[in-house]
Amino acid sequence: FPTGDRPNKSVQQRAVKAAGLRAVREALGTTWGEVEAFVNKEPLPIVVKPVESAGSDGVKLCKTKEEAKAHFQLLMESQRKCGAQGAAVLCQEFLKGKEYVVDHVSRDGVHKCVMVWVYDKRPTNGAAFVYYGMIPVPADSDIAKQLIKYTEGVLNALKLDNGPTHGEVMMTSDGPCLVEMNCRSHGWDGAWVPLAKMLTGGYSQPDVAFASHLDGGAFASIPAVYPSPLKATGQNVMLVSFFSGTVRSTPGYDKMKQLSSFVALQTGVGIGSRVELTVDLFTAVGVLVLANTDLRKMEADLAVVRRMEKEGLFAFDEEVDPVQAEPSPDTIVPSGRRRTESFESKEGVDSRWSVAMKGDDRQGPLLAAVFAAGGLGGLLGG
């Protein structure tokens, strides 16, 4: 890319701004002096984050200049210790609005929008941004139309003409604004794939990515925008823990699998696992896929899950009292830490990728490779 490394968030914002699209106000630096003037004039709070990250790791909403400076220095020190290439820190305006995900697959500059999702993020356990879920947005809604048009402008600005992309966009009072564009498939270890196939009536981003590289005819047959109305009702639910301890049993998981809307559960938590308070994607205790032809039943099942979280999903070896969460420390994730390890569904699927591969054994290894291409760079990403 002519102006730098495309995964670099600052490079992306500069290219988007040059294309005449709304971009975030920001300052990039490796020393505090390089960003101090920006922080002094930017309204608080501001967002401070590493220039390359995934799953909201290292991202912090800073309410004072002193807090911003301390987090900036912590991030630079953390990146240096782990030997990050191109280590730097971004200070950005705090975008007020709702965050959406816009997933595309492209072939020779032709973009196909395969889904728009909206994040459900809430302050929890002392952290400002905790994922509670990801909800599909109808393609014929005004919001989706604005987001798709803007995101395809971003793809053109970044010259992302081929393959899958995963855009995160904030809908602000003055329109869509890029948070970041990930040059890969949607992450979350593919937990969303079963629901995506139900919503579209049969395809998901990995399927279309496969076609974009190896089957031009199949790619051409995919509509420019996913179907509306959607073929099912459902959402991906991030499971939140309000308790910490060593897991003795998982009664919450057992109850979830009996829900009428249960489709799949992906989690790395089992007997003997150490569970911490959920403060980011890395400390989430699973991804639950719910879908139902009856919206009221799906919503009722979701309410049951949220109640179980507050009551406790696990039995612990220790005697656990409800936790009054203090403001969480900066969420820097140790190198090599994984968020999920296993996958279960109504069909009894064991393999992490087998849901995406179901239906055509010949495509299995290739679909896994397409997914892994995103997973290797963003296995822990959203």
Side-chain angles (χ1 to χ4, degrees):
F1 192 61
T3 58
D5 184 13
R6 271 184 294 197
N8 183 298
K9 297 179 179 67
S10 186
V11 169
Q12 292 181 1
Q13 295 292 344
R14 291 197 299 270
V16 169
K17 184 177 181 179
L21 299 170
R22 168 75 158 96
V24 68
R25 298 188 302 273
E26 65 172 25
L28 173 72
T30 58
T31 66
W32 177 249
E34 294 175 289
V35 301
E36 186 172 14
F38 172 83
V39 174
N40 285 338
K41 69 180 182 180
E42 184 67 23
L44 295 169
I46 65 169
V47 176
V48 180
K49 60 184 178 182
V51 73
E52 295 183 12
S53 63
S56 74
D57 59 308
V59 179
K60 187 173 184 180
L61 183 64
C62 299
K63 299 177 182 178
T64 67
K65 177 182 174 181
E66 293 72 24
E67 186 179 15
K69 182 177 182 180
H71 192 59
F72 181 100
Q73 293 171 338
L74 175 64
L75 287 175
M76 280 306 305
E77 182 65 22
S78 299
Q79 290 178 90
R80 289 192 186 103
K81 284 182 177 178
C82 68
Q85 298 297 312
V89 174
L90 272 174
C91 296
Q92 295 182 330
E93 70 169 298
F94 174 52
L95 293 172
K96 296 179 181 179
K98 189 170 285 189
E99 188 174 356
Y100 293 81
V101 166
V102 188
D103 289 334
H104 277 83
V105 178
S106 305
R107 178 183 168 96
D108 297 332
V110 176
H111 309 303
K112 303 289 181 85
C113 183
V114 292
M115 192 59 60
V116 175
W117 311 86
V118 60
Y119 280 138
D120 178 4
K121 288 183 178 181
R122 312 177 198 177
T124 300
N125 292 331
F129 310 110
V130 172
Y131 290 87
Y132 273 68
M134 194 173 65
I135 305 165
V137 179
D140 60 355
S141 66
D142 289 339
I143 288 287
K145 290 176 182 177
Q146 290 183 63
L147 290 165
I148 293 168
K149 180 179 179 181
Y150 172 84
T151 303
E152 292 182 356
V154 170
L155 294 177
N156 291 332
L158 295 176
K159 302 187 184 304
L160 292 171
D161 295 334
N162 292 283
T165 51
H166 173 65
E168 297 179 4
V169 181
M170 189 75 74
M171 181 59 79
T172 70
S173 59
D174 56 349
C177 182
L178 180 70
V179 176
E180 62 182 88
M181 179 61 69
N182 297 282
C183 311
R184 56 170 173 82
S185 288
H186 194 132
W188 285 21
D189 290 352
W192 46 274
V193 167
L195 177 58
K197 288 192 171 189
M198 296 173 71
L199 296 172
T200 62
Y203 66 85
S204 66
Q205 191 181 35
D207 303 303
V208 184
F210 166 79
S212 74
H213 290 293
L214 298 174
D215 191 338
F219 178 81
S221 71
I222 299 295
V225 178
Y226 58 96
S228 184
L230 296 167
K231 307 296 184 182
T233 297
Q235 65 175 273
N236 293 289
V237 181
M238 297 301 297
L239 298 176
V240 176
S241 179
F242 294 90
F243 306 88
S244 61
T246 303
V247 175
R248 185 172 72 247
S249 62
T250 58
Y253 290 164
D254 298 334
K255 292 176 183 176
M256 289 175 197
K257 295 169 189 175
Q258 303 306 313
L259 296 173
S260 63
S261 305
F262 175 79
V263 175
L265 171 66
Q266 186 176 17
T267 181
V269 177
I271 296 172
S273 296
R274 175 70 189 180
V275 169
E276 306 295 343
L277 298 180
T278 299
V279 294
D280 55 17
L281 276 177
F282 300 92
T283 47
V285 292
V287 181
L288 174 68
V289 181
L290 296 178
N292 205 306
T293 55
D294 187 325
L295 175 61
R296 289 174 299 177
K297 289 182 179 179
M298 198 280 294
E299 290 177 339
D301 285 346
L302 178 59
V304 168
V305 172
R306 294 306 182 201
R307 187 169 61 250
M308 286 194 295
E309 288 174 326
K310 290 295 182 74
E311 295 171 352
L313 298 173
F314 313 108
F316 294 110
D317 288 341
E318 307 89 345
E319 184 175 346
V320 179
D321 294 322
V323 175
Q324 288 293 109
E326 297 295 331
S328 62
D330 301 305
T331 53
I332 308 300
V333 178
S335 176
R337 184 170 179 178
R338 293 179 59 86
R339 176 164 47 84
T340 54
E341 294 173 357
S342 64
F343 195 103
E344 295 182 58
S345 73
K346 275 185 175 176
E347 291 77 18
V349 176
D350 292 322
S351 169
R352 178 168 49 189
W353 307 116
S354 54
V355 172
M357 295 185 285
K358 188 177 178 183
D360 188 346
D361 292 339
R362 295 171 300 167
Q363 295 184 10
L366 287 168
L367 277 176
V370 169
F371 229 150
L376 290 174
L379 185 62
L380 300 174

